[in-house]
């Protein structure tokens, strides 16, 4: 008997590496090496490989190659964007912990920008919170838990008008939607766009002051010291180039799969409610709640895992704190019990209609078979 192939529906947590990316990286894990700071041929080749990747990433980010600062993750890039800011800093209430926790550590007054029940920031809510001492506004391009897209161009215009720096965490957006708006500081990460884990970039417009987190040998314009991870940088570059070239085609099929999934859920699982704005969302992102089974997401996830399908509750980053409700869901108005009931499906380049159909075959039975026992426990805990 052949083992049933697993279905991976957790592309918002991380994406499988594209085989073309792996091909590009392989030489740098073997025959090719060299320190990009060395003057000999091996060093010059390594430098050329980094420069090429910098161009590929810049093209995806609609930026100039000299604006790209490679970091070891999206988290590090978010921290670098915020580090050293003082005065008054505005961040949206649904930012990733990489922004929220970095903001909390600042020697600044940090204010949260609220979001509507659809998970979208109203530009006016940014405008009316700006003060004379506001140094930075940070609003993500797309949310990792509910997939909603933010009005980045409008928020940038307000920040420009008031001479305030604007940072946007585009870790979920990069490679999925065009990054047309040139913001002052933009974060991206390779492992969300079919590249390797452990490599990211902060795209920093020239002239924007940054305070390095890591000091040393002066790499990356002196803003991020350490010998470069060339294989990862080359992989990031290849992934960015593929995403830039193929985004439109990828999205056509991913959106079609998302709609197939939503239609199927609507007819087969009528107690299912989509969370977040219906259309202002990432192509492959569906987070939903089962009415009457609030608090059940972990049991649903485990039952689906058993059936060979990988999904997520809230975000992978909070798996270690799985019993805590997602702060994104509470920020959009869910109480703790409902917030524990959200299931996230994130489709990607390597999913197929067959995957969606298999999910639709097994999910209704799983949803029916789980009795909402934990609701009682959570209700007690709340009282
Ligand atoms: N920002 C967002 C919106 C994310 O979804 C993630 C990862 O889940 C990060 C930042 C952190 O990126 P990395 O995993 O590269 O540190």
């Amino acid at each position: 008997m052949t083992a049933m192939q697993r279905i991976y529906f957790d592309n918002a947590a991380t994406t499988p590496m594209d085989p073309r990316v792996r091909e590009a990286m392989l030489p740098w894990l073997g025959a090719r090496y060299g320190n990009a700071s060395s003057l000999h041929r091996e060093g010059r080749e390594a430098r050329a490989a980094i420069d090429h990747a910098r161009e590929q990433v810049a093209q995806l980010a609609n930026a100039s190659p000299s604006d790209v600062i490679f970091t070891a993750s999206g988290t590090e890039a978010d921290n670098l964007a915020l580090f050293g800011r003082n005065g008054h800093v505005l961040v949206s209430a649904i930012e990733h912990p990489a922004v929220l926790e970095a903001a909390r550590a600042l020697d600044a007054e940090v204010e949260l920008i609220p979001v509507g029940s659809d998970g979208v920031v109203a530009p006016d809510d940014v405008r009316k919170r700006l003060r004379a001492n506001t140094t930075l506004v940070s609003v993500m391009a797309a949310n990792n838990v509910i997939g909603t897209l933010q009005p980045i161009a409008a928020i940038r215009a307000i920040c420009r008008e008031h001479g305030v720096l604007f940072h946007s965490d585009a870790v979920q957006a990069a490679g999925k939607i065009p990054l047309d708006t040139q913001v002052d500081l933009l974060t991206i990460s390779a492992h969300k766009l079919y590249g390797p884990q452990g490599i990211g970039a902060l795209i920093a417009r020239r002239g924007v002051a940054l305070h390095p987190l890591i000091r040393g040998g002066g790499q990356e314009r002196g803003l991020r010291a350490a010998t470069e991870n060339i294989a990862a940088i080359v992989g990031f570059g290849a992934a960015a180039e593929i995403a830039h070239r193929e985004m439109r085609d990828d999205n056509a099929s991913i959106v079609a799969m998302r709609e197939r999934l939503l239609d199927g859920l609507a007819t087969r699982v009528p107690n299912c409610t989509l969370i977040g704005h219906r259309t202002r969302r990432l192509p492959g992102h569906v987070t939903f709640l089962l009415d009457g089974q609030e608090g059940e997401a972990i049991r649903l996830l485990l039952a689906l895992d058993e059936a060979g399908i990988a999904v997520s509750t809230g975000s992978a980053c909070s798996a270690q704190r799985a019993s805590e409700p997602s702060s994104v869901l509470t920020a959009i108005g869910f109480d703790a019990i409902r917030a524990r009931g959200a299931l996230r499906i994130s489709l990607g380049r390597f999913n197929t209609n067959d995957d969606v159909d298999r999910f639709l075959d097994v999910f209704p039975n799983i949803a029916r078979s789980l009795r909402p026992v934990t609701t009682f426990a959570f209700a007690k805990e709340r009282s």
Side-chain angles (χ1 to χ4, degrees):
M1 206 176 82
T2 55
M4 204 189 343
Q5 260 217 306
R6 284 190 59 87
I7 295 175
Y8 186 73
F9 275 171
D10 201 11
N11 290 275
T14 197
T15 45
M17 193 185 288
D18 190 299
R20 294 167 291 181
V21 170
R22 191 168 55 236
E23 278 303 301
M25 290 173 71
L26 276 176
W28 294 99
L29 295 167
R32 303 189 76 183
Y33 48 88
N35 184 321
S37 300
S38 303
L39 295 178
H40 45 62
R41 185 196 297 177
E42 286 81 356
R44 292 195 306 274
E45 284 177 0
R47 170 63 50 209
I50 293 176
D51 287 346
H52 181 54
R54 202 183 296 285
E55 282 167 21
Q56 292 168 308
V57 170
Q59 198 174 24
L60 178 71
N62 190 20
S64 147
S66 60
D67 296 347
V68 178
I69 303 157
F70 287 118
T71 59
S73 61
T75 299
E76 187 192 322
D78 280 339
N79 274 263
L80 179 57
L82 270 68
F83 189 58
R85 309 288 169 204
N86 49 23
H88 175 239
V89 170
L90 278 173
V91 301
S92 96
I94 59 167
E95 291 302 306
H96 188 272
V99 168
L100 285 178
E101 294 302 321
R104 276 189 194 120
L106 293 176
D107 190 12
E109 189 188 341
V110 177
E111 188 179 348
L112 297 182
I113 311 160
V115 292
S117 58
D118 57 1
V120 180
V121 171
D124 258 355
D125 275 330
V126 177
R127 186 192 297 279
K128 64 188 182 210
R129 283 176 174 75
L130 289 173
R131 299 187 199 155
N133 68 339
T134 307
T135 53
L136 182 89
V137 171
S138 182
V139 177
M140 67 204 322
N143 183 262
N144 48 303
V145 178
I146 52 177
T148 44
L149 309 181
Q150 301 299 342
I152 294 306
I155 297 171
R156 184 199 63 162
I158 292 168
C159 291
R160 285 262 157 103
E161 208 182 293
H162 291 81
V164 174
L165 284 182
F166 180 36
H167 166 246
S168 185
D169 175 335
V171 168
Q172 291 292 339
K176 323 248 173 65
I177 57 166
L179 301 173
D180 294 331
T181 309
Q182 290 176 315
V183 296
D184 299 313
L185 295 157
L186 187 88
T187 297
I188 50 182
S189 179
H191 75 99
K192 309 285 189 183
L193 46 104
Y194 312 95
Q197 297 176 339
I199 184 76
L202 182 66
I203 317 294
R205 198 172 49 76
R206 274 232 161 221
V208 171
L210 286 172
H211 307 271
L213 292 160
I214 299 173
R215 295 169 191 274
Q219 290 90 345
E220 299 298 295
R221 294 196 266 139
L223 294 166
R224 206 289 179 179
T227 301
E228 298 87 343
N229 181 348
I230 304 188
I233 290 174
V234 165
F236 190 4
E241 185 183 314
I242 295 166
H244 188 249
R245 192 177 57 236
E246 299 181 1
M247 190 185 307
R248 193 191 290 255
D249 290 345
D250 272 358
N251 283 351
S253 71
I254 292 172
V255 168
M257 281 189 281
R258 179 187 80 194
E259 294 305 306
R260 187 183 185 97
L261 176 68
L262 285 172
D263 288 349
L265 282 173
T267 51
R268 296 181 204 194
V269 192
N271 58 333
C272 178
T273 311
L274 182 72
I275 304 175
H277 198 281
R278 174 67 184 88
T279 51
R280 285 188 71 102
R281 62 173 49 248
L282 288 167
H285 206 115
V286 172
T287 297
F288 62 90
L289 198 76
L290 289 184
D291 295 325
Q293 298 212 336
E294 291 83 356
E296 298 301 298
I298 292 174
R299 297 173 74 212
L300 290 170
L301 179 151
L302 294 175
L304 282 166
D305 191 38
E306 191 81 353
I309 303 174
V311 301
S312 169
T313 65
S315 79
C317 318
S318 62
Q320 293 85 342
R321 295 181 252 158
S323 60
E324 289 174 26
S326 154
S327 62
V328 172
L329 297 175
T330 49
I332 64 170
F334 284 65
D335 64 29
I337 295 174
R338 275 171 74 76
R340 283 188 185 99
L343 209 64
R344 179 182 76 179
I345 295 177
S346 43
L347 307 165
R349 182 183 289 163
F350 300 113
N351 289 126
T352 63
N353 280 336
D354 285 349
D355 295 345
V356 173
D357 292 346
R358 202 169 110 208
F359 174 85
L360 290 171
D361 277 346
V362 304
F363 187 65
N365 287 335
I366 288 177
R368 261 192 303 274
S369 68
L370 291 184
R371 273 189 311 123
V373 287
T374 51
T375 308
F376 172 65
F378 288 140
K380 253 177 57 174
E381 174 197 305
R382 217 171 34 141
S383 61

